Each structure stands twice: as structure tokens, then as C-alpha cells.
Amino acid sequence: MWYFINEIKAIEGTTVNGLTGRDSAPHVVSVSFEGITKSEVLLHALEEKCIYVSSGSACASNHPALSNTLQSIGVKRDLLS
């Protein structure tokens, strides 16, 4: 996970949301990408490289509003939609 976080932070326009140190959940990484208006495009591009991700969380699948969790930790509004 640490390799992934360091490499993703090196990409311009990415933001790792939340904790990334010893206090984080090592199996969950939340990343926002500036300039991505349709998450499906990114999901399919990554899928072609055998990288499987989701846009949002399973617990929010029935509530397509902005994430309260990401808002609470201070993620910039333009990265929430």
C-alpha cells in the first residue's frame, strides 16, 4: 500500500484523502483526481490495465449525493462531484 500511495501522490492533480500512516486502514485508499468529470471513463481506463477500483463506497450506493465523509475530512468541493 505504501508504494501505491507514494506513486499516486507523485501524479499531478491527485489527492489522497484521509489518513495514510499507521492510523489508516491499510486495505482502503481514497484518491481524488482533478479534472475527471465522469468517473466511469477513469474506471474503464484502469480496468483495461487490470486495476479495479470503484467510484464511491458500497454503503453510499443507494444515496448518490456528495460524500458526507469526504466533506467532513475537508476534501475540496470540486473534487467531490
Side-chain angles (χ1 to χ4, degrees):
M1 175 181 84
W2 307 120
Y3 176 80
F4 173 78
I5 289 174
N6 289 332
E7 292 297 311
I8 203 80
K9 283 181 174 181
I11 299 171
E12 185 177 340
T14 62
T15 301
V16 176
N17 306 312
L19 300 173
T20 59
R22 296 179 68 95
D23 295 328
S24 68
H27 56 286
V28 177
V29 179
S30 173
V31 181
S32 296
F33 300 89
E34 293 178 19
I36 301 295
T37 56
K38 293 195 177 238
S39 60
E40 294 83 19
V41 174
L42 178 62
L43 297 180
H44 292 303
L46 291 171
E47 185 177 90
E48 289 176 5
K49 298 185 179 293
C50 296
I51 300 170
Y52 301 98
V53 299
S54 67
S55 60
S57 64
C59 59
S61 62
N62 292 328
H63 307 285
L66 298 178
S67 167
N68 289 331
T69 302
L70 294 178
Q71 290 179 70
S72 296
I73 64 171
V75 173
K76 296 185 294 185
R77 179 137 178 100
D78 61 324
L79 295 175
L80 293 173
S81 53

